[in-house]
């Protein structure tokens, strides 16, 4: 069985998230998604985030047909430990990580970069709602 690993916030699910998850699933048999804890999202994106709690985000992802397992993590160390535990064949990250250190990539056989879908970002969607 070929395991694929993806991680992120996954707040306000949108087409870009679904394209990423479907792409990831197409690369293997078992898709593991790791999501940032609420505390970590607040640290990275500000006190007004996440919109949905970690439990809600986990529930949404667990109910997508492409996703087989969802974990949560609160630190870089926990993310690295999780990737080491899963030992994925493939790890998929956004293309904005090209040339940067990808946490846990030493525990995967292959690292694939996914080009973000233009116009889809939770932060932009939230701002668009506020602006209305």
């Amino acid at each position: 069985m070929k395991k694929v690993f993806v991680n992120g916030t996954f707040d306000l699910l949108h087409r870009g998230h679904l394209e990423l998850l479907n792409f990831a699933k197409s690369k293997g048999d078992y898709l593991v998604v790791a999501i940032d804890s609420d505390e970590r999202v607040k640290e990275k994106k500000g006190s007004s985030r996440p919109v949905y709690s970690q439990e809600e985000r986990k529930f949404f992802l667990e109910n997508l047909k492409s996703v087989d397992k969802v974990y949560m993590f609160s630190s870089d160390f926990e993310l690295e430990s999780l990737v080491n535990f899963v030992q994925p064949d493939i790890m998929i990250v956004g293309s904005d990580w090209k040339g940067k250190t990808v946490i846990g990539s030493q525990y995967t056989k292959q690292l694939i970069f996914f080009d973000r879908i233009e116009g889809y970002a939770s932060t932009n969607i939230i701002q668009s709602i506020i602006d209305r």
Side-chain angles (χ1 to χ4, degrees):
M1 178 174 16
K2 189 182 271 189
K3 293 182 282 186
V4 182
F5 187 95
V6 173
N7 70 278
T9 301
F10 295 98
D11 198 10
L12 281 184
L13 283 180
H14 53 68
R15 182 179 181 151
H17 290 135
L18 299 178
E19 295 281 1
L20 166 64
L21 295 169
N22 288 336
F23 173 79
K25 182 65 173 205
S26 77
K27 298 296 180 186
D29 305 300
Y30 192 82
L31 177 58
V32 175
V33 179
I35 61 171
D36 296 275
S37 68
D38 289 347
E39 308 84 58
R40 186 169 166 96
V41 175
K42 284 186 190 320
E43 289 172 16
K44 290 170 57 178
K45 299 184 183 275
S47 62
S48 65
R49 299 283 299 277
V51 173
Y52 288 109
S53 72
Q54 60 195 27
E55 291 81 17
E56 290 171 314
R57 292 181 285 127
K58 185 174 187 282
F59 176 81
F60 295 152
L61 289 165
E62 287 172 336
N63 283 281
L64 296 176
K65 66 182 177 181
S66 60
V67 177
D68 296 295
K69 183 70 178 170
V70 180
Y71 293 100
M72 273 182 267
F73 64 96
S74 295
S75 68
D76 289 355
F77 176 77
E78 285 182 17
L79 174 57
E80 184 172 335
S81 297
L82 185 55
V83 178
N84 186 23
F85 170 74
V86 172
Q87 292 282 310
D89 297 285
I90 299 171
M91 187 175 187
I92 300 181
V93 296
S95 57
D96 53 323
W97 283 94
K98 283 184 181 174
K100 299 177 186 173
T101 300
V102 176
I103 296 167
S105 61
Q106 69 270 32
Y107 301 113
T108 187
K109 296 174 186 165
Q110 183 180 10
L111 187 62
I112 297 177
F113 295 97
F114 180 80
D115 290 328
R116 294 186 183 269
I117 310 294
E118 187 68 32
Y120 291 98
S122 296
T123 301
N124 295 345
I125 293 169
I126 292 166
Q127 190 58 53
S128 171
I129 292 167
I130 291 169
D131 291 345
R132 291 180 193 177

